[in-house]
Structures are given as structure tokens and as C-alpha cells.
Amino acid sequence: MKQLFTAILGLLALALPGDAGAQQSPLATTFATSGLVIVSETGRHEFTVELAVTPEQRAQGLMYRRSMAADAGMLFDYSRRAGRASMWMKNTYIPLDMLFIKADGEIESIAERTVPRSLESISSRGPVHGVLELNGGTAARLGIKPGDVVENPLFGTAASAP
């Protein structure tokens, strides 16, 4: 009996993902993409971003992702509701920089290198139109800071196709 129990536990361990405490994505939401440019003192930085525009897409965000390309990100559209935006890192496994963006495309504030899987609320300082999530450390690496401008149709500014 003990051998049978040990064999069953062994099979269960093989069936579990590498991080046994991690949940697998039950979400199958797909995202459209768009070009996005951040204009800073250090130049024009181009990204291809996924667009989170529906409540379902905003709820899923980058949850369950294990990696993201250096020139990729996700843009959350909060244009239909005025006010502060709040995010969290539940079920998000990669550190992110969160750029809170005003209606005119100006970066209002940046939360750098957010902590994966944290339930702590991360909020803008004032009303924003969108939130851009990039790989953690991207803002520092590229010299992106509050006051820089994001170009994307969400903000009524030009952007290249992905």
C-alpha cells in the first residue's frame, strides 16, 4: 500500500508545473496590438503593445506570463472612466514598470520594478487615461521619466503599426 501511495504522489508531482505553487492560466483572453512610442530626453523608444480595453482584458492583463520581449508591453485603456487608476501584481510573475499616463499622453508617474505576485495596490497620483506595463527596469534603462510623452492613438497622438 505504501508503494502505491508513493507511486501516486510521484505521478502527481510529474503532472504539476515547475512552480507547484503557481496557478496555470484559466484565462484565454486575446489582445489586439498597437505601436507605441515614448518620447524622452534620450530619444524615441518604440514598443509593440497589447491593448487591454475590455473589462475582461484589463482584469487578465499580464497575469500568468513568464516572460515578455524587451520591446513589448501592455497598454490598459481607462479613457472611459475619469480618475485614478490602481493596479496589482496578483498572478503576475514578471517584475513590471507601470507608467501612468494622462489623457494628453504625458507620463504622470511611474511605479518601477513592481513586485511579482504582490497584492499591494499600485496607484496613479491623479487622473489618468491609461497605464502602460513594461518589463521591470525598462524605464531606468531607457531614461524614461514623468513628463515624457507617449504616442499612441489612445492619447490622440501618432503611433506606428506593430
Side-chain angles (χ1 to χ4, degrees):
M1 184 65 135
K2 184 176 179 181
Q3 288 176 332
L4 177 62
F5 182 71
T6 303
I8 291 172
L9 284 177
L11 288 174
L12 285 174
L14 290 174
L16 291 174
D19 180 0
Q23 293 177 300
Q24 293 301 303
S25 175
L27 308 170
T29 303
T30 58
F31 300 89
T33 60
S34 175
L36 180 142
V37 175
I38 300 174
V39 181
S40 73
E41 288 180 4
T42 60
R44 295 175 58 81
H45 308 286
E46 296 184 17
F47 297 89
T48 299
V49 296
E50 294 176 90
L51 303 172
V53 297
T54 68
E56 295 79 19
Q57 290 170 328
R58 287 189 300 268
Q60 179 177 334
L62 292 170
M63 289 169 53
Y64 304 104
R65 308 264 182 112
R66 298 291 180 169
S67 64
M68 184 167 58
D71 64 346
M74 182 168 284
L75 180 61
F76 293 77
D77 180 355
Y78 289 109
S79 62
R80 288 189 171 81
R81 58 160 225 179
R84 293 176 57 182
S86 291
M87 313 287 279
W88 67 353
M89 295 289 290
K90 180 178 181 181
N91 296 322
T92 305
Y93 299 116
I94 55 177
L96 300 171
D97 287 349
M98 294 182 186
L99 288 66
F100 296 93
I101 308 164
K102 298 178 190 179
D104 64 358
E106 180 183 342
I107 297 173
E108 181 255 3
S109 60
I110 301 174
E112 294 189 56
R113 293 180 176 94
T114 58
V115 178
R117 300 178 74 178
S118 171
L119 299 181
E120 179 182 341
S121 181
I122 304 162
S123 300
S124 62
R125 294 183 179 137
V128 295
H129 211 65
V131 178
L132 175 61
E133 292 182 340
L134 302 172
N135 282 304
T138 300
R141 180 174 52 83
L142 298 177
I144 297 168
K145 61 186 183 326
D148 290 347
V149 176
V150 175
E151 295 178 352
N152 182 272
L154 178 62
F155 309 107
T157 54
S160 57

